[in-house]
Amino acid sequence: MTTYDIERYLNVRSAYGGSFGPDGESLAFLMDTTGTAQVWTVDGPGEWPVQRTFYDDRVTFVDYSPEREELAFGKDQGGNERAQLYTLDTATGEITNRTQRPDAKHRWGGWDGDGERFAFASNRRDHTVFDIYVQDRDGVGDDAELVHEGDGWLSLSGWSPDGDRLLVHEAHSSFDHDVHVLDVSDGGISHVTPHEGRARFSSVEWGPDGDSLYMVTDHDSDTLRLERLDLSEGEFSVVEDGGEWNVDGVSIHEESRRVVYTRNVDGYTDLSVGELVDPDRIDPAETASFPEGVVAGLDWGPDGEEYAVTVTASTDNTNVHVADARTGERDRWTNAATAGIPRETFVEPQLVHVPSFDGREIPGFFSVPEDAEGELPVIVDIHGGPESQRRPSFRAVKQYFLNNGYAVFEPNVRGSSGYGKEYASLDDVRNRMDSVKDLKAGVEWLQDHPDADADRIVAYGGSYGGFMVLSALTEYPDLWAAGVDVVGIANFVTFLENTSDWRRSLREAEYGSLDEDREFLQEISPTNNIENIDAPLFVLHGENDPRVPVSEAEQIVEDAREQGVPVRKLLFPDEGHGFSKLENRIEAYSAVVEFLDEHV
């Protein structure tokens, strides 16, 4: 079998985030052909795309105006996540910075129905909270009108059909939300989801007539269900129950009353299409057949006849597909390149369930090179979050490891999303280290697997996954041959003290508070257990990281070196929470490969 170097794999491209133009015949999307995600447009499947932006920094989203050949997009600087909002005239190529507040974050809230105004949430007044603004399409900077002062983590879910109200989503934690309806004219706001305990209300959509809301929620169940909220009565009704799996998203086209909703079935997307014939009834229609993986990011064509989605699978790199909502016919509209690597060389994982210390089964994906012989080194790749989930999407670095003789195990330890709120809460605060015990159970499962070499198992992860790497190395040092920590948390106390103001309360809801749990947080922090570490360690970080400050990397490196542990450190001055620029990704992952070749 032909093998390819890491740089080749890092040149596999992704196209995603499709948005239909007002004529329904063109599509804007993001693609990283230049090395960072930029705005492109295309006029049909197989047509040659046109690049529209040319920045060194990434573009974070694109959204076509509903009435004009005009695009809105967001861009931060150096990974600092303080995105500014821009508009682009596709006829002239003129780009205008509409927000002009580089010290603040801006979250796009969408165009109104005629494209004359847009809304956004921003922390420009107070960096610890988010307010709601409305701005005329030709306004700039301070032309934005402050329509609601917030006191928490707010974002927007869209304009009402008549354009007089906005849906405001409030996150208290990853698994506790609220929804409010904001009157744009007078600033009056109504809380429409009062509840006890933790409950998610997400993927919120206006009903076609503006008198109800549709959303996925677990306010009265363990898993997310598609429910309708009657705004006049304040009562919920179940529209679609996903059974043991989450209904994880819904999208409604107001005029045609067509609906698409998705279930997350053990990580794989199950997509359904239909028509809302009664408030609580969806009649099914023909559903397109997509590659078996993850389908997300839906955008409707103007008349509701077509919809665009982003599709990714373990053996299929990310692209935008367009499907007919009536017939189910589908075309791939983008052609993100695979860098000349044959698609048939990409490896499909096996879905596995591993028994853990308390009898629970931990789901995950195990991938083995197709031509593997004998016992292989294994990379245990741990997702971040922790309220996230490893799903069967395309990951170029993973395919490189498989192509070069490594097996890869991707566990969804307790605390992962996708399996109900009970499972997701099993690692909260004082139960944090139970998720690390799940890693131990995963390694014990690998030790009995005929394809795995028990002496060459690597802990690898980013962000919260970086904390899991460091905890695995300090809690169970005999299990690991090496560790790779990417933008990871080394000490929960210093992390919470130094993370961006706007994130602290949200993270304390998951990890524990500095006021009440400081002693426990210190106790479980890897920096305070560093004397146990034996395995070589590689730490990578972006110096502009607003989530996990670079000081976390500095202290774990210093502490590990004092213990005589072989440590390598690599910092990037122009990156944030992860690596967005191609040249940096090449340097980072080439260094990871060298580190693993040396120690594993």
Side-chain angles (χ1 to χ4, degrees):
M1 180 180 66
T2 302
T3 59
Y4 304 90
D5 61 27
I6 186 63
E7 184 169 346
R8 189 76 166 268
Y9 277 93
L10 292 172
N11 276 284
V12 176
R13 306 305 187 188
S14 299
Y16 55 96
S19 175
F20 276 107
D23 58 3
E25 297 178 358
S26 59
L27 192 74
F29 60 97
L30 302 182
M31 187 161 64
D32 56 0
T33 295
T34 61
T36 55
Q38 301 297 312
V39 178
W40 297 67
T41 58
V42 67
D43 292 333
E47 298 291 325
W48 193 261
V50 177
Q51 187 176 349
R52 298 291 187 170
T53 62
F54 301 85
Y55 298 106
D56 291 333
D57 289 308
R58 62 183 177 181
V59 174
T60 54
F61 78 91
V62 62
D63 190 10
Y64 242 123
S65 164
E67 295 291 339
R68 298 173 184 81
E69 289 298 325
E70 182 177 36
L71 300 169
F73 67 90
K75 182 183 72 68
D76 66 1
Q77 185 171 8
N80 65 9
E81 299 188 12
R82 295 193 288 271
Q84 306 301 297
L85 305 179
Y86 300 78
T87 58
L88 184 156
D89 185 318
T90 59
T92 66
E94 181 181 0
I95 294 174
T96 304
N97 183 342
R98 295 294 175 188
T99 48
Q100 300 182 0
R101 292 291 296 270
D103 60 327
K105 290 175 62 70
H106 298 85
R107 294 175 175 159
W108 179 246
W111 300 98
D112 69 0
D114 58 11
E116 290 292 342
R117 299 174 296 169
F118 58 86
F120 61 88
S122 178
N123 64 346
R124 56 171 63 177
R125 178 182 61 88
D126 180 340
H127 284 184
T128 65
V129 298
F130 286 84
D131 302 326
I132 306 302
Y133 295 81
V134 171
Q135 185 167 324
D136 291 340
R137 57 175 287 270
D138 56 357
V140 294
D142 292 336
D143 292 339
E145 178 187 0
L146 173 61
V147 294
H148 173 69
E149 288 191 2
D151 60 1
W153 183 297
L154 303 184
S155 57
L156 289 166
S157 296
W159 295 81
S160 61
D162 55 13
D164 62 354
R165 292 164 293 164
L166 285 165
L167 284 177
V168 179
H169 185 269
E170 181 176 13
H172 308 293
S173 71
S174 297
F175 274 73
D176 190 21
H177 308 156
D178 269 306
V179 177
H180 309 265
V181 175
L182 172 65
D183 189 309
V184 174
S185 61
D186 62 13
I189 192 165
S190 301
H191 177 205
V192 297
T193 56
H195 62 280
E196 295 182 0
R198 297 199 311 174
R200 285 176 288 178
F201 302 92
S202 57
S203 189
V204 189
E205 293 272 305
W206 287 99
D209 302 319
D211 56 3
S212 60
L213 304 178
Y214 292 81
M215 64 191 78
V216 298
T217 176
D218 57 8
H219 73 102
D220 199 27
S221 59
D222 183 58
T223 55
L224 295 169
R225 306 184 299 196
L226 172 56
E227 299 193 20
R228 180 178 69 90
L229 172 61
D230 185 311
L231 289 174
S232 62
E233 301 293 333
E235 294 181 354
F236 279 94
S237 53
V238 178
V239 181
E240 295 290 343
D241 188 329
E244 65 176 310
W245 303 111
N246 286 331
V247 179
D248 60 355
V250 61
S251 183
I252 300 173
H253 186 263
E254 292 166 6
E255 293 180 8
S256 70
R257 307 181 75 88
R258 290 196 173 95
V259 181
V260 171
Y261 64 93
T262 57
R263 289 194 311 150
N264 175 347
V265 180
D266 232 343
Y268 293 87
T269 296
D270 176 59
L271 183 143
S272 298
V273 182
E275 183 178 345
L276 198 62
V277 294
D278 284 317
D280 295 335
R281 178 181 147 202
I282 299 171
D283 277 3
E286 291 293 329
T287 300
S289 176
F290 296 103
E292 190 177 27
V294 181
V295 183
L298 187 142
D299 187 69
W300 288 101
D303 56 9
E305 301 292 321
E306 295 179 310
Y307 58 92
V309 286
T310 299
V311 181
T312 179
S314 295
T315 59
D316 202 346
N317 61 320
T318 306
N319 275 286
V320 180
H321 297 240
V322 173
D324 190 300
R326 301 160 301 169
T327 67
E329 294 181 359
R330 169 184 64 87
D331 288 305
R332 189 179 71 188
W333 273 45
T334 64
N335 189 25
T338 63
I341 302 173
R343 294 178 186 272
E344 58 268 21
T345 66
F346 299 144
V347 176
E348 186 76 33
Q350 177 189 3
L351 176 63
V352 299
H353 296 85
V354 176
S356 193
F357 67 94
D358 58 354
R360 292 182 182 273
E361 289 201 334
I362 306 304
F365 297 95
F366 187 50
S367 305
V368 178
E370 290 187 358
D371 298 331
E373 295 182 2
E375 296 180 344
L376 303 172
V378 183
I379 294 171
V380 179
D381 190 350
I382 312 152
H383 68 69
E387 314 95 330
S388 184
Q389 180 187 21
R390 185 53 52 81
R391 302 184 68 179
S393 57
F394 186 84
R395 300 176 61 241
V397 174
K398 171 186 169 180
Q399 293 296 333
Y400 164 81
F401 287 133
L402 292 164
N403 181 247
N404 284 267
Y406 290 87
V408 179
F409 177 51
E410 302 164 282
N412 282 312
V413 298
R414 68 192 63 209
S416 299
S417 58
Y419 308 98
K421 62 184 178 185
E422 179 188 355
Y423 188 82
S425 68
L426 291 174
D427 69 337
D428 287 355
V429 191
R430 301 291 170 137
N431 296 322
R432 177 66 44 207
M433 302 310 286
D434 284 353
S435 60
V436 186
K437 292 179 183 177
D438 288 341
L439 290 182
K440 176 177 181 287
V443 173
E444 291 171 345
W445 179 83
L446 288 169
Q447 289 171 339
D448 293 332
H449 199 286
D451 291 322
D453 185 338
D455 294 325
R456 293 189 292 164
I457 298 178
V458 178
Y460 181 105
S463 189
Y464 175 79
F467 158 75
M468 292 289 281
V469 167
L470 297 173
S471 286
L473 297 183
T474 54
E475 295 295 314
Y476 306 106
D478 296 339
L479 299 181
W480 308 98
V484 179
D485 160 30
V486 183
V487 298
I489 300 167
N491 183 295
F492 275 116
V493 171
T494 57
F495 158 68
L496 290 170
E497 288 175 338
N498 296 318
T499 192
S500 295
D501 294 340
W502 50 272
R503 299 190 75 248
R504 186 171 298 110
S505 62
L506 198 73
R507 293 294 82 204
E508 285 187 322
E510 166 70 25
Y511 299 134
S513 74
L514 290 172
D515 289 340
E516 298 180 7
D517 303 294
R518 180 181 290 265
E519 183 177 348
F520 172 74
L521 293 172
Q522 287 283 17
E523 178 185 323
I524 66 170
S525 291
T527 53
N528 293 321
N529 298 288
I530 198 69
E531 69 278 1
N532 297 331
I533 192 171
D534 284 331
L537 175 64
F538 192 8
V539 177
L540 303 93
H541 218 104
E543 293 186 12
N544 298 326
D545 193 337
R547 301 189 183 200
V548 180
V550 69
S551 54
E552 294 295 296
E554 299 282 12
Q555 63 176 316
I556 196 67
V557 168
E558 180 180 352
D559 291 349
R561 283 177 175 164
E562 288 181 357
Q563 298 295 319
V565 175
V567 182
R568 181 171 179 180
K569 177 179 73 173
L570 182 56
L571 306 182
F572 292 93
D574 56 347
E575 295 283 9
H577 196 63
F579 313 129
S580 64
K581 297 179 174 66
L582 177 61
E583 63 271 22
N584 292 339
R585 293 200 302 273
I586 290 173
E587 181 180 356
Y589 293 109
S590 295
V592 169
V593 169
E594 293 171 2
F595 174 81
L596 294 180
D597 285 348
E598 178 183 356
H599 295 288
V600 182

